[in-house]
């Protein structure tokens, strides 16, 4: 059984590679009948990326790839939540964010302790490995 692929050809002659629409020869992005929808999707996607960059700069947020960046996200959420009117939902959210912050603090403490142990033991391990 062969895999159906979009019939669109790139400038270099390669096939698009995406699966075509159910009853068509082209994928959604290359089907001539869907050009308006694709243009609108691209417009929305572009404005979303711009908005994401603007918000990330405004909040000094760099993603979720490090403990520090996750910590920053929790700080942002806490400050925003504290600015809300006092309510049960607000207090629940603050408690939940505090739990997340405690977990991050514990992870950070463990990481520091591991680094300290490794720094202490590294000379011994290197010395022992040379015997």
């Amino acid at each position: 059984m062969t895999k159906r692929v979009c019939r669109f050809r790139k400038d270099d002659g390669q096939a698009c590679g995406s699966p075509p629409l159910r009853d068509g020869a082209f994928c959604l992005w290359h089907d001539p009948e869907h050009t308006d929808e694709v243009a609108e999707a691209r417009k929305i996607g572009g404005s979303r990326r711009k908005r994401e960059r603007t918000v990330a700069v405004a909040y000094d947020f760099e993603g979720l790839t490090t403990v520090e960046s996750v910590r920053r996200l929790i700080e942002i959420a806490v400050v925003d939540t504290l600015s809300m009117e006092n309510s049960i939902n607000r207090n629940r959210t603050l408690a939940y964010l505090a739990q997340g912050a405690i977990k991050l603090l514990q992870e950070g403490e463990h990481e520091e302790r591991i680094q300290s142990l490794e720094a202490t033991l590294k000379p011994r391990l290197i010395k022992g490995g040379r015997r």
Side-chain angles (χ1 to χ4, degrees), residues 56-57 59-66 68-70 72-73 76:
V57 168
Y59 284 103
D60 189 28
F61 179 68
E62 297 176 0
L64 299 172
T65 56
T66 65
E68 282 302 314
S69 61
V70 175
R72 177 67 183 139
L73 178 65
I76 292 166

Side-chain angles (χ1 to χ4, degrees), residues 22-68:
R22 187 174 303 223
D23 294 327
F26 297 98
C27 68
L28 174 66
W29 299 105
H30 297 118
D31 191 323
E33 294 179 19
H34 292 91
T35 54
D36 292 341
E37 294 158 304
V38 168
E40 182 65 21
R42 285 190 173 125
K43 179 181 173 187
I44 290 170
S47 63
R48 178 178 176 85
R49 280 187 294 281
K50 276 187 207 173
R51 186 176 64 239
E52 285 176 7
R53 284 190 297 270
T54 302
V55 170
V57 168
Y59 284 103
D60 189 28
F61 179 68
E62 297 176 0
L64 299 172
T65 56
T66 65
V67 172
E68 282 302 314

Side-chain angles (χ1 to χ4, degrees), residues 9 19-21 85 98:
R9 296 286 174 190
L21 295 172
E85 185 176 323

